[in-house]
Amino acid sequence: MDNNCIFCKIANGEIPSSTLYEDDMFRVILDLSPATKGHALIIPKGHMANIFEMDEATAEKIFVLTARIAKAMKEALNCDGLNIVQNNGEIAGQTVFHFHMHIIPRYEGDHQNIHWVPGTSEAAEREAVAEQIRIALNK
């Protein structure tokens, strides 16, 4: 735990929150500034700034929990869909440097807009990038 991290304090119960779920590894809370009704955050209790610091066992467990929370939201809130958002690094929009996963229920007419402008790429460029990533995966 990082004593200077607000999400460490929330995840470990030092700061009150509207908690949806808690176990020994995670706390799931409603976001104080929700994009839509039911917008939740999954916060690990152990401090890690981003996904680059996360071990595979934690990553596995967080996605299982994400699916569980998403299904409960669908049933409880009757949302039309949902976004799962996770930002890593300031350039990617991360503002709190403690890993967290947003689960954002979506409703027809909610006026939220999570999108990017599709680009283009050539086959040779895609293959070169794929090779760079494959090399890194096999280290």
Side-chain angles (χ1 to χ4, degrees):
M1 182 169 146
D2 178 342
N3 290 327
N4 297 317
C5 174
I6 191 164
F7 274 17
C8 280
K9 291 176 181 177
I10 293 169
N12 289 285
E14 293 178 28
I15 295 176
S17 63
S18 296
T19 299
L20 306 178
Y21 173 87
E22 181 179 12
D23 64 21
D24 61 325
M25 290 186 70
F26 305 103
R27 183 180 295 259
V28 182
I29 66 168
L30 290 178
D31 195 305
L32 287 177
S33 301
T36 64
K37 179 179 75 175
H39 178 169
L41 302 175
I42 300 178
I43 307 171
K45 290 184 175 181
H47 184 79
M48 59 198 80
N50 52 46
I51 200 166
F52 307 118
E53 297 179 7
M54 183 179 288
D55 62 81
E56 287 186 9
T58 302
E60 193 174 286
K61 290 177 182 174
I62 202 165
F63 205 78
V64 169
L65 179 56
T66 300
R68 189 170 168 207
I69 298 297
K71 290 172 186 174
M73 285 179 168
K74 177 72 173 156
E75 180 180 329
L77 302 174
N78 197 32
C79 53
D80 299 307
L82 62 85
N83 292 108
I84 299 168
V85 178
Q86 203 285 303
N87 303 318
N88 295 281
E90 190 173 345
I91 190 71
Q94 186 177 11
T95 57
V96 177
F97 294 91
H98 179 115
F99 178 95
H100 55 288
M101 183 95 71
H102 295 261
I103 306 176
I104 306 169
R106 298 302 304 271
Y107 307 93
E108 287 293 327
D110 66 18
H111 304 292
Q112 290 298 329
N113 196 4
I114 300 172
H115 74 284
W116 57 87
V117 177
T120 61
S121 66
E122 299 296 323
E125 177 189 11
R126 287 191 307 274
E127 187 51 40
V129 170
E131 182 60 18
Q132 287 177 295
I133 296 169
R134 285 192 293 265
I135 289 168
L137 276 170
N138 291 314
K139 284 186 178 180

